[in-house]
Amino acid sequence: MILMNDIIREGHPTLRLKAKEVSFPLSNEDRQLCDDLLEYVVNSQDDKLGEKYGLRSGIGLAAPQVNASKRIFALHIPDGENLLENFIAINPKIISHSVEKTYIETGEGCLSVDREVPGYVPRYARITVKALDKEGNVIKKRLKGLPAIAFQHELDHLNGIMFYDHIDENAPYKDIPGATAFDRE
Ligand code: N9Y
Ligand code: NI
């Protein structure tokens, strides 16, 4: 089971690597990694289990965050139109995206970052994505709102990108042209 001590923090070189494609059929190790990532996000959002194991709540977790440089992440976004309720993405890709952008009004955080970094993180408002599931089936989805934002945050982890790389440090709350704010509430 993944605990906070298993999550590597900023400064660890693995977070800056481009993660490797996963080959199929999945190895037992990769299968377990998928299950562990999903288990973490589900448990971390359960008040009782989160408290019991001291988990910081997260809606997504990418393999590089547990020091596995592989193109896998899990998302658990309750209500997000049920699109990413329990989603494991392997070798994920954005195949098209809107011109319109969005950003979380209150900024982003990251389980690998133990500090607040203020500022808008520009994301595509709508994306069409492809990924493989554990059996190697191609899953294609259209995402918007929080699921779209979270997918882009996780995909960035597979490419060695941190959310604050997107923040304009001289003007963190500068207007983003063509963007509509996403309100977390
Ligand atoms: C976990 C992150 C991923 C999200 C950050 C922004 C979009 C994806 C995560 C730190 C603590 C809070 C938590 C969070 C949330 C957001 C919106 C609505 C409800 C994966 N991570 N968090 N970051 N929760 N809850 O680093 O979930 O943002 O790579
Ligand atoms: Ni993150």
Side-chain angles (χ1 to χ4, degrees):
M1 169 179 194
I2 295 170
L3 299 172
M4 288 316 290
N5 276 339
D6 301 309
I7 297 179
I8 60 172
R9 308 303 158 87
E10 56 178 332
H12 193 300
T14 300
L15 289 172
R16 290 308 193 174
L17 299 178
K18 185 174 161 64
K20 294 247 185 309
E21 293 261 333
V22 175
S23 58
F24 283 82
L26 238 46
S27 66
N28 289 336
E29 188 194 342
D30 288 347
R31 221 167 244 288
Q32 186 65 49
L33 176 59
C34 290
D35 295 342
D36 288 347
L37 293 170
L38 187 59
E39 179 192 51
Y40 178 91
V41 284
V42 171
N43 286 352
S44 78
Q45 289 179 49
D46 178 300
D47 288 344
K48 273 192 144 158
L49 288 173
E51 166 149 14
K52 179 171 177 195
Y53 296 112
L55 309 177
R56 185 175 176 204
S57 172
I59 56 176
L61 187 63
Q65 294 181 276
V66 293
N67 204 16
S69 195
K70 297 175 178 187
R71 304 190 77 76
I72 304 175
F73 62 71
L75 290 164
H76 179 61
I77 307 184
D79 304 328
E81 294 177 9
N82 281 344
L83 274 175
L84 299 178
E85 178 71 57
N86 275 293
F87 187 57
I88 293 169
I90 305 172
N91 301 337
K93 285 186 174 57
I94 293 176
I95 57 175
S96 67
H97 62 77
S98 60
V99 172
E100 190 189 328
K101 292 193 177 161
T102 187
Y103 55 91
I104 301 179
E105 211 153 29
T106 50
E108 293 190 15
C110 180
L111 295 174
S112 296
V113 179
D114 292 327
R115 61 191 173 107
E116 302 234 331
V117 185
Y120 296 150
V121 179
R123 304 290 188 188
Y124 299 121
R126 293 174 299 282
I127 54 179
T128 301
V129 304
K130 263 190 188 176
L132 300 176
D133 68 12
K134 279 164 64 188
E135 312 318 318
N137 302 307
V138 179
I139 311 294
K140 188 176 169 184
K141 290 175 189 285
R142 275 189 198 85
L143 305 175
K144 60 182 168 69
L146 187 60
I149 293 170
F151 191 100
Q152 291 169 79
H153 178 112
E154 300 315 324
L155 187 59
D156 272 352
H157 277 306
L158 307 189
N159 293 323
I161 298 168
M162 302 294 284
F163 72 93
Y164 48 75
D165 298 346
H166 298 291
I167 299 174
D168 182 338
E169 46 178 67
N170 298 312
Y173 292 109
K174 197 176 72 181
D175 178 66
I176 301 165
T180 308
F182 176 81
D183 189 344
R184 270 182 68 156
E185 302 321 310

